Amino acid sequence: MTTEDLTDDATSSESLAKLEANLAKIEGLTQRLVNALANKRSVPKDLQGPDQELYVKAATNFWTEMMANPAKMIEHQVGYWGKTVKHFVEAQQELAKGNLVAPPDDTPTDKRFANPLWQTHPYFNFVKQQYMHNVQAVHAAVAEIDGLDDKDRKRLEFFSNQIVDMFSPTNFLATNPDALTLAVETEGQSLLDGLEHLVADLEASGGELQVTLADKSAFKIGENIATTPGDVVFRNHLFELIQYRPTTETVCETPLILFPPWINKFYILDLKEQNSLIKWITDQGYTLFVVSWVNPDASYRDTDMTDYVQDGYLTAIAQVKSICDVKKVNTVGYCIAGTTLSLTLALMKSRKDKSINSATFFTTLTDFSDQGEVGVFLNDDFVDGIEEEVQKTGILESFFMSRTFSYLRSNDLIYGPAIKSYMMGQAPPAFDLLYWNGDGTNLPGKMAVQYLRGLCQSDNFANGEGFEIAGQKLHLKDVDVPLCAIACETDHIAAWKSSYRGVQKMGAKNKTFILSGSGHIAGIVNPPTKVKYGYWVNDDLSLSPEDWQDTATQHEGSWWPHWESWLRKKSGKQVPARSPGDSSHPVLCDAPGTYVSATPDK
């Protein structure tokens, strides 16, 4: 026996041992997978997709159109067949010539197909081109269905796109060159790692597939995110009030209260020092208070919008006035918290309460006549399902909210991460923004239904009979304090044009509107040091949204300094910096407090 034989035997033994170990792992993972799926949570049918009536209506109109205008339908089909057969013939001709190359490819560029093999390898290119032809055919068929109203058409386009995206060849191992190549390079280890990630995600989500987007072990709230120094100076059943410690010797006399959305947690504005809006505001010389909302459990089932206004907003305003010994405060509301701030302002006007000196709205909808992309989930089929769910559980769990918003960007938030995690075995990245995105909150059942029915669906506040808070019907026109609104150009949750129309309907004489580049989060969390995205301003708010943007002045970099210049004029003289709390508001604990990390019972 030679040395080479011994080496071969050793290599074979190592490979066999590795194979046996991997087989044992697969057996254990398979059992865990079976257990996770066997205990799968029950998701109401109405929350799994649109009512079948939408597809029936589309199919009926398609059939009617085909009978009335068969030539049009035949033209569509022949065009699709022609592209498909032509591509097949071209591929066959190249192979018959002995050329292992892809035929000509004029399909659109798509970042999902970035691997060069999609362009050069005859198999992968054939699969890609056929998929792209199918996509074009589906889009053309949906676009030319007559007899649908705008809302149904938008929904049909959205949900047909979901189906199209789901069947992308990148989502399947046999047609994903990146995953196949890595599986060969790692002797299958990447697939085994991916299976472990898949099973772990199913176990964590009650048998439902919810992709982990970030390394949860990489962050700890209060240690490496949400670290701006401050103190909790008040607490009730709805929120903790954080007062941030001053970093300047003097501050503006009028304090600022920031109300974040309770759909997510406040620390999106305090992820890290470099992009923390909370720290930046404090460093500009303001006494800043931030509300940290409770994460509700089933005991909050009867908590409604009136509770959020009275026990949340009005209580926080009163506490800040008392702590700072002032008659007026400035306010900021982000997303749904901005919507509720506008309700609070309308209520305060009816009560002749002049405690608010100015209001700022981040990505806020108050006029829901055009619901934007999220509107596909606001029809009765979904809202009926939500109402049925919260009647049983008392809350709208964060699971449903997270899944809904993920489908608005499914390739970025579902399929792309799933490919990396499950097919390529890559661990989720240590990315603070994605960590926050996965740290969702529940919504009280009654409040959620009121918001969806009365604001989103009926649009009662801006264009209806008024939205009722504390027994009073409130109207958007009664929001009359000086205000500044910041919307984001590519926001898929709060469409900027709808935000703009809401500002137009507010009764304030002093209005400023800023349009930031980017989307719902990145457009707001955009520190001046990054010099990213840019923003637009235009003093003429009588224009249509399109004309406003066309004639607006564009600026480079962050809108933060522009807004701060506006805010400073509303913030009074300089006074000595204030330490958190006072004799009647002792410090309860350090920021970021206890509510932000609490895990409620289901």
Side-chain angles (χ1 to χ4, degrees), residues 133-196:
H133 293 327
N134 292 340
V135 170
Q136 292 169 356
V138 171
H139 287 169
V142 170
E144 298 200 21
I145 294 178
D146 293 329
L148 295 177
D149 61 30
D150 288 343
K151 180 173 282 191
D152 281 340
R153 184 173 300 282
K154 286 180 180 178
R155 300 190 88 214
L156 186 62
E157 288 173 350
F158 177 84
F159 289 109
S160 64
N161 280 338
Q162 293 299 315
I163 296 171
V164 164
D165 289 342
M166 181 174 65
F167 284 106
S168 169
T170 53
N171 296 339
F172 302 92
L173 177 62
T175 51
N176 188 314
D178 293 298
L180 287 171
T181 301
L182 188 62
V184 172
E185 291 175 351
T186 63
E187 298 180 322
Q189 186 63 45
S190 59
L191 297 179
L192 182 61
D193 293 341
L195 181 58
E196 289 194 47

Side-chain angles (χ1 to χ4, degrees), residues 296-312:
D297 57 21
S299 67
Y300 286 79
R301 68 166 52 244
D302 293 322
T303 299
D304 61 9
M305 292 293 288
T306 293
D307 294 315
Y308 273 88
V309 169
Q310 296 198 142
D311 297 347

Side-chain angles (χ1 to χ4, degrees), residues 17 58 68 295 341 432 544 551:
N295 191 355
L341 175 59
D432 53 3
S544 68
T551 56

Side-chain angles (χ1 to χ4, degrees), residues 281-296:
I281 291 173
T282 304
D283 288 345
Q284 306 315 302
Y286 292 90
T287 302
L288 177 64
F289 293 82
V290 174
V291 165
S292 174
W293 300 103
V294 72
N295 191 355

